[in-house]
Amino acid sequence: MKIFLAGLALFGAAAIAGVAQPHFARSAASPSADAKTISVTGNGTIETVPDRATFSFTVTTQADTAKAALAKNGTAADAVAAALQGAKLQTSEVMLQPQMNDDGTAVLGYTASTTVTAESELAKAGPLVDAAVDAGATGVSGPSWSRSDYNALYRQALQNAVADARAKAQALADSAGLTLGAVMSATEGGGVQPLPYASAAADGVAKLLPGTQTVAASVTVTFAALDR
């Protein structure tokens, strides 16, 4: 009985090995390591005008004690936030610092500050700046620009980058007497390249000139190169 079972085991192993053999034969059909390839980097851009602006507003207050400085500052920051209705708000920084005398031996009081970041549609950004200042903001920084449809624009730029990569690879293949084959691999990269902007005041309302932005994408593509 033991000899019979051993024979069955050997037969089963041989059957499994026989089933596995076609799999290894197929893997051998993969491109060889010395296959010809062409690797290029393509670039694509989309020019656009920003439609959103982000500003940072700072409120600074002073008081004799740290607790009083923070309380006073919180009230002032709430007033500025209330004036920024319709914007996406985020508290980006809260600071508290002692104010020392000239020789640094005594605390004269405390200064507290809160910075609120507000993002809004471009058309509303100018009035929001004025509203924040009127509500007590003591510092304004920005704007930084963005597009609400950035993802769609980036995909367009990425398509342009792939087309640019194919055109470059085709030129290389032609010059080398090769036929451009299928894409073997592709790696993306990219980002936004904002161009300079200008801002000014007109009729008491902050006037914003967003200029243009370049949504840029890059892709490195490797193509198979075939002999003609």
Side-chain angles (χ1 to χ4, degrees), residues 114-194:
T114 299
T115 300
V116 177
T117 300
E119 179 188 345
S120 72
E121 299 174 10
L122 180 59
K124 299 178 180 179
L128 283 176
V129 172
D130 296 320
V133 173
D134 291 342
T138 55
V140 180
S141 63
S144 60
W145 306 107
S146 61
R147 281 286 304 194
S148 55
D149 58 347
Y150 167 77
N151 289 335
L153 294 174
Y154 176 73
R155 286 191 290 269
Q156 293 179 30
L158 193 59
Q159 291 176 354
N160 293 345
V162 172
D164 182 50
R166 182 173 291 278
K168 290 179 178 178
Q170 186 64 62
L172 288 172
D174 292 341
S175 65
L178 299 170
T179 297
L180 194 65
V183 173
M184 306 301 291
S185 66
T187 304
E188 71 166 322
V192 177
Q193 299 174 354

Side-chain angles (χ1 to χ4, degrees), residues 3-228:
I3 296 174
F4 176 73
L5 291 177
L8 286 178
L10 290 173
F11 176 81
I16 294 172
V19 171
Q21 283 175 2
H23 170 74
F24 293 117
R26 286 195 297 270
S27 66
S30 302
S32 61
D34 59 350
K36 296 184 178 70
T37 59
I38 295 176
S39 295
V40 294
T41 297
N43 299 292
T45 58
I46 297 290
E47 296 294 327
T48 186
V49 177
D51 62 359
R52 299 190 69 81
T54 300
F55 282 89
S56 292
F57 303 100
T58 301
V59 179
T60 303
T61 56
Q62 294 181 333
D64 293 337
T65 66
K67 184 176 180 180
L70 285 173
K72 184 178 180 180
N73 191 256
T75 300
D78 288 344
V80 171
L84 297 172
Q85 293 297 323
K88 293 182 179 180
L89 302 181
Q90 181 182 41
T91 300
S92 56
E93 185 177 64
V94 176
M95 293 186 62
L96 178 67
Q97 293 181 323
Q99 300 301 307
M100 310 299 293
N101 61 4
D102 292 339
D103 57 9
T105 58
V107 176
L108 302 178
Y110 292 85
T111 297
S113 66
T114 299
T115 300
V116 177
T117 300
E119 179 188 345
S120 72
E121 299 174 10
L122 180 59
K124 299 178 180 179
L128 283 176
V129 172
D130 296 320
V133 173
D134 291 342
T138 55
V140 180
S141 63
S144 60
W145 306 107
S146 61
R147 281 286 304 194
S148 55
D149 58 347
Y150 167 77
N151 289 335
L153 294 174
Y154 176 73
R155 286 191 290 269
Q156 293 179 30
L158 193 59
Q159 291 176 354
N160 293 345
V162 172
D164 182 50
R166 182 173 291 278
K168 290 179 178 178
Q170 186 64 62
L172 288 172
D174 292 341
S175 65
L178 299 170
T179 297
L180 194 65
V183 173
M184 306 301 291
S185 66
T187 304
E188 71 166 322
V192 177
Q193 299 174 354
L195 299 182
Y197 67 89
S199 62
D203 300 328
V205 177
K207 181 180 179 181
L208 306 176
L209 305 175
T212 60
Q213 268 188 337
T214 300
V215 179
S218 65
V219 59
T220 300
V221 185
T222 298
F223 295 87
L226 311 175
D227 292 329
R228 291 182 177 178

